[in-house]
Amino acid sequence: SREVVDVVAGRVERRARVMMCASSRASAPLASHARCGRHVCVGGYPTRGHHRHDDASLRRRGRRVRASTDDTDDATASTTRRRSNMSLSSAFDKSVPDDVKAKIASESDVEALRATRDAARRALASAELAYATAALSIREMEKNAASEANAGAFGSMDEIGCERSYYGGTYIDVEAQGVPKGLGAMASDNFVRELRAMVTEIRAPAMAKPDTSGTTAEMSDSLRAKLDALRLDADAIWDREANREQVAAPWVIKAPYLALCVMLDKMFDDTRPIQRFWFLETVARMPYFSYTSMLTLYEILGWWRRGSELRRVHFAEEWNEYHHLLIMESLGGDALWRDRFLGQHAALAYYIILITMWLVSPALAYNFSELIEAHAVDTYAQFVDQNEEVLKSMPPSRIAREYYQGADLFLFDEFQTSREARSRRPEIKSMYDVFSNIRDDEGEHVSTMHACQIPDAIINSPNAVNAKTAAIGALVAAQIWFSRVAETGALGDAALDDELMSRADWGAADGIFDALFNLLHFF
């Protein structure tokens, strides 16, 4: 009956748990103990209840258990089955009456029951295997779907070490935090890394292509084909520059600017626009590094202590150019050694030139930067118009979405001095949107560089302007309230007291306190 089966099964299960505990704990220290159901295993030997034996008893029982475990696995399994069968037989004898036993023996077909049991076991094993296979498949599909949803067609990018580029590149430690190594260690590491890349490229210049074999995932063939299809017409860039309003500049800086543009056209043909953009963004960060360095030097020397606001704007501008650079690296712009070599050395030379210009005239340095930024606007505008269809079919890279649609856009607002804070919130759906916003960013840099050339110009970040506006508004509100209170003096002392009491309840809270709370919320 069902009750008999439950009783027998319960006793067998408890006995099996005791034997399993004895087998697994046989080699444990004698002082160890573990609870197994209603039994306590002390010194590796199961005992009933919570009684603890003395040390001699524990040692004797431990030796017996350890001696039994010296047999083979088959002998142990055989012993366990024999003891389980004995327990089952004993429980059956005690629980089932003799007449029921006789009836079961006369009516049961043992062979058929055994066959049914074996078939049920095989079916259970097959069902468990099918369930495990289905569960693992569903889990893997959900993981792949989540990765694709996070990164679109660039989903494989998240699995690569640097998490922002298919190829690695200059900023291989962009995700790392902390303090860099010393000068010698950093120089030697970079030298060894770049030396290997240089030797590889020199030995096989025709095969000097990005090596993705070491990465965990590669760019899809369709995406690579779209990147290879991107073009940039250098002549059309010159036409755009000729047709727009020219940036006024003396020939002492106009000549180097024109030489730089011609060099870019020669170094990067129309089939390598991403590499050209990477070079431009590497060089474009140098003005803000140099300006911040010189403003810091002037303040240290005590010559100029009013540049703190300007330093903050320049840092936000450099932060913007830095993310432009990371976007180009996410597309493989820094994959080749020769591009990295030229870009880094050109950036170092540009940094020294700008510092020299600043020492002569800060306006001269800003004028040169305005020329470069205006050229960048023309370059990106031509690229976006020339490759509109292809760019719209390409999903944005992760670093672009994080920068333009992240939760913290404070620095994104800081460098846009020609507009109000939070007035520009890009919507990134494709690489077309990414490059269009990069073009607009460069336009904001042009406006800032032009304003920096105006004598006694006050360059404030949009967030700082909002704070000052709120403070002025609070002062005006307070002045109006006190003026109205003073006017009530003509009504007499009693009327003045009544007026003050009525205004003290809500008037001040609506005016001064609200303005102060707004200021506190901003800060």
Side-chain angles (χ1 to χ4, degrees):
S1 67
R2 182 178 301 175
E3 294 180 357
V4 172
V5 172
D6 291 342
V7 171
V8 173
R11 292 185 178 181
V12 171
E13 179 183 3
R14 287 194 294 273
R15 183 62 183 171
R17 291 172 64 185
V18 172
M19 297 306 300
M20 290 174 62
C21 181
S23 177
S24 61
R25 301 287 291 182
S27 60
L30 293 178
S32 63
H33 64 277
R35 187 180 301 278
C36 298
R38 294 186 302 171
H39 302 80
V40 177
C41 297
V42 182
Y45 188 84
T47 63
R48 292 188 176 275
H50 298 273
H51 175 67
R52 294 180 179 271
H53 299 271
D54 56 15
D55 294 342
S57 176
L58 290 177
R59 283 193 293 270
R60 286 195 299 272
R61 295 190 178 189
R63 283 195 296 270
R64 286 199 296 270
V65 172
R66 285 194 294 273
S68 66
T69 58
D70 292 337
D71 299 334
T72 62
D73 293 340
D74 293 339
T76 302
S78 176
T79 303
T80 303
R81 287 195 299 271
R82 185 169 59 255
R83 292 180 178 178
S84 298
N85 292 335
M86 292 173 60
S87 300
L88 176 63
S89 176
S90 176
F92 186 77
D93 291 339
K94 295 179 180 179
S95 303
V96 182
D98 293 339
D99 56 342
V100 176
K101 296 178 185 177
K103 184 178 181 180
I104 293 175
S106 62
E107 296 180 357
S108 300
D109 185 353
V110 178
E111 295 299 330
L113 291 175
R114 182 181 293 110
T116 302
R117 182 200 63 184
D118 295 341
R121 287 178 175 176
R122 289 193 294 271
L124 177 61
S126 299
E128 289 180 343
L129 179 61
Y131 170 75
T133 303
L136 290 175
S137 300
I138 292 174
R139 184 183 303 174
E140 189 67 21
M141 291 178 61
E142 291 177 348
K143 180 180 178 181
N144 294 337
S147 299
E148 292 179 0
N150 289 336
F154 288 77
S156 60
M157 176 175 55
D158 291 340
E159 300 177 3
I160 295 181
C162 60
E163 294 189 353
R164 49 104 194 137
S165 174
Y166 293 104
Y167 310 110
T170 305
Y171 293 95
I172 58 173
D173 60 343
V174 67
E175 298 293 339
Q177 302 293 330
V179 180
K181 301 177 183 177
L183 175 64
M186 294 295 294
S188 60
D189 291 346
N190 183 77
F191 178 78
V192 172
R193 182 173 60 249
E194 295 299 325
L195 180 62
R196 292 198 188 105
M198 180 187 69
V199 172
T200 302
E201 192 165 323
I202 292 176
R203 286 180 176 177
M207 302 296 293
K209 294 183 179 181
D211 180 15
T212 59
S213 60
T215 58
T216 57
E218 295 185 7
M219 185 186 301
S220 63
D221 293 337
S222 60
L223 186 57
R224 189 184 301 279
K226 291 178 181 179
L227 279 175
D228 293 339
L230 297 175
R231 295 293 182 267
L232 181 60
D233 189 350
D235 295 333
I237 298 175
W238 288 103
D239 293 339
R240 283 179 177 269
E241 184 170 344
N243 294 329
R244 64 166 168 82
E245 183 180 356
Q246 298 297 307
V247 176
W251 277 104
V252 67
I253 62 173
K254 189 83 169 183
Y257 161 74
L258 294 175
L260 176 62
C261 294
V262 172
M263 182 187 71
L264 289 174
D265 294 342
K266 298 297 182 182
M267 289 171 48
F268 305 98
D269 56 25
D270 61 344
T271 63
R272 305 180 65 220
I274 302 300
Q275 289 76 11
R276 176 172 180 155
F277 293 150
W278 182 86
F279 183 93
L280 275 176
E281 297 300 341
T282 301
V283 174
R285 300 175 66 197
M286 297 305 108
Y288 311 115
F289 284 143
S290 62
Y291 302 156
T292 303
S293 300
M294 296 309 299
L295 287 170
T296 303
L297 177 62
Y298 277 25
E299 184 165 346
I300 291 174
L301 297 176
W303 297 351
W304 183 264
R305 295 184 177 177
R306 291 178 288 172
S308 57
E309 193 72 27
L310 189 56
R311 282 206 313 273
R312 186 165 72 173
V313 173
H314 287 334
F315 174 79
E317 289 179 302
E318 187 276 322
W319 189 253
N320 176 257
E321 299 286 10
Y322 168 67
H323 282 83
H324 293 176
L325 182 68
L326 293 183
I327 292 171
M328 300 311 155
E329 289 189 358
S330 72
L331 302 176
D334 64 333
L336 298 181
W337 169 82
R338 63 175 180 268
D339 294 335
R340 296 197 300 272
F341 180 84
L342 292 173
Q344 291 171 340
H345 289 78
L348 179 60
Y350 189 35
Y351 176 78
I352 296 174
I353 290 172
L354 286 172
I355 286 182
T356 305
M357 284 187 177
W358 178 282
L359 293 174
V360 176
S361 171
L364 200 64
Y366 284 124
N367 191 201
F368 191 76
S369 295
E370 183 183 4
L371 286 171
I372 298 295
E373 299 293 357
H375 177 77
V377 173
D378 297 331
T379 303
Y380 282 114
Q382 176 60 31
F383 179 76
V384 168
D385 294 343
Q386 187 173 343
N387 302 275
E388 179 176 357
E389 295 183 2
V390 179
L391 291 174
K392 286 184 177 180
S393 66
M394 297 173 62
S397 57
R398 181 176 64 87
I399 189 65
R401 293 198 310 269
E402 288 180 355
Y403 178 68
Y404 285 109
Q405 294 183 323
D408 186 4
L409 295 178
F410 179 81
L411 288 175
F412 180 73
D413 292 329
E414 281 288 276
F415 78 91
Q416 303 180 67
T417 57
S418 62
R419 62 172 68 234
E420 295 183 0
R422 296 180 293 278
S423 63
R424 180 185 167 206
R425 288 295 178 265
E427 188 172 350
I428 305 298
K429 295 182 179 179
S430 66
M431 290 305 296
Y432 178 83
D433 300 325
V434 173
F435 281 97
S436 297
N437 279 281
I438 293 177
R439 175 202 58 201
D440 297 340
D441 292 345
E442 303 297 347
E444 294 293 336
H445 294 316
V446 172
S447 301
T448 304
M449 294 298 99
H450 179 74
C452 288
Q453 301 172 52
I454 301 174
D456 299 327
I458 300 176
I459 309 298
N460 286 323
S461 67
N463 292 312
V465 172
N466 286 348
K468 295 175 182 177
T469 303
I472 294 174
L475 292 176
V476 172
Q479 179 65 26
I480 294 175
W481 183 80
F482 282 116
S483 298
R484 291 182 177 177
V485 171
E487 292 175 357
T488 59
L491 301 177
D493 294 339
L496 180 59
D497 292 340
D498 295 339
E499 183 70 14
L500 287 174
M501 290 299 296
S502 63
R503 290 181 180 271
D505 292 337
W506 300 104
D510 291 336
I512 297 176
F513 290 160
D514 284 352
L516 291 177
F517 285 136
N518 288 335
L519 281 177
L520 290 175
H521 175 69
F522 169 79
F523 286 117

